[in-house]
Amino acid sequence: MHGPPAPAPTRLLVISPHGDDEVIGCGGLIARTLAEEGEVGILYMSFYGSQAREAEEACRRLGVSWRRALFPDWALRLDRLPQAKLIGRLEEEIAAFDPTQVFLPYPSHHQDHRAVYQATLAALRPGRAGRVQLMACYEYVYGGWLGHVDGGPGFLYVNIAPYWQAKRWALEAYADQLRPAPDPLSIASVEALARARGAEVGWEAAERFHVVRMAKA
């Protein structure tokens, strides 16, 4: 007798407003997906300062080879781009990678994050989501500064205890972006959030995501 077909490998696409957001929000998930023989792609919307170089190093450390920069010179001004242009480019690159999961930023207090959040929701609207079965927002260490997320059934926790060191090593690639503790953009603060999220579900470390849409055929 033949058993059920093996599930298709995960194709995880992370949409990052700037270099460093992808590691802060999803570094453990990225490392875990690759360790489990999934595929990972990253769409960087923009860079500022030395982030382009640092993002390349972070991807090397994590083992991510598929990455694109959509509007590299528009950091802190993505909200000034026409939404149709943002949505169109996202649609093109999402189709090119053909993901099964898409992780996008919380809307946050940051204008770039809000613009990317709204554009991604539009790009993955019903009828245009392709094979995407899971769409979720990743968080930052700004806690109470997070914005409102539309809809969704609740939170998804991912155990990253075995992958915390991989996340930390990738985060260290963003040396020019990191700050001394207790600044939110410090390694200590990122680790504290991971430990707190893990404690919520009985693990040593976790990343928490707000599920926007989840479907299983």
Side-chain angles (χ1 to χ4, degrees):
M1 293 180 65
H2 296 288
T10 298
R11 291 185 62 80
L12 167 66
L13 181 64
V14 178
I15 299 176
S16 186
H18 315 104
D20 79 1
D21 294 321
E22 82 291 7
V23 177
I24 292 172
C26 300
L29 174 64
I30 291 169
R32 177 173 174 157
T33 300
L34 291 170
E36 294 174 350
E37 300 186 353
E39 299 289 334
V40 176
I42 301 177
L43 291 182
Y44 293 102
M45 302 301 292
S46 63
F47 299 117
Y48 54 85
S50 57
Q51 284 185 340
R53 170 180 53 79
E54 291 175 328
E56 183 176 356
E57 176 61 17
C59 285
R60 186 191 71 79
R61 293 183 182 192
L62 287 169
V64 176
S65 58
W66 197 101
R67 56 189 184 274
R68 303 285 189 273
L70 274 62
F71 303 98
D73 299 325
W74 279 80
L76 310 181
R77 298 180 297 141
L78 289 173
D79 60 321
R80 301 182 192 178
L81 281 169
Q83 274 280 298
K85 189 170 185 177
L86 278 171
I87 295 166
R89 287 297 310 280
L90 280 168
E91 287 178 335
E92 291 172 5
E93 297 297 344
I94 290 170
F97 186 72
D98 190 25
T100 59
Q101 300 180 1
V102 174
F103 284 70
L104 62 151
Y106 267 94
S108 171
H109 63 287
H110 195 298
Q111 69 273 14
D112 284 357
H113 290 225
R114 291 196 302 271
V116 173
Y117 169 77
Q118 291 292 343
T120 305
L121 290 184
L124 289 171
R125 61 195 180 276
R128 299 300 298 270
R131 293 198 299 158
V132 176
Q133 296 179 336
L134 173 62
M135 183 178 173
C137 294
Y138 56 85
E139 63 181 352
Y140 319 104
V141 284
Y142 287 107
W145 288 90
L146 297 178
H148 173 71
V149 175
D150 298 320
F155 292 117
L156 167 68
Y157 290 82
V158 175
N159 187 348
I160 66 162
Y163 307 101
W164 163 250
Q165 291 302 327
K167 174 170 178 160
R168 178 182 180 129
W169 191 40
L171 190 57
E172 288 173 348
Y174 288 105
D176 291 348
Q177 318 306 322
L178 293 172
R179 302 289 182 266
D183 190 279
L185 290 178
S186 67
I187 289 179
S189 293
V190 175
E191 180 173 6
L193 180 62
R195 301 298 179 193
R197 294 307 184 216
E200 292 173 8
V201 286
W203 300 328
E204 290 185 7
E207 289 170 344
R208 191 180 79 172
F209 307 96
H210 184 109
V211 177
V212 177
R213 187 168 67 238
M214 183 166 55
K216 187 171 181 63

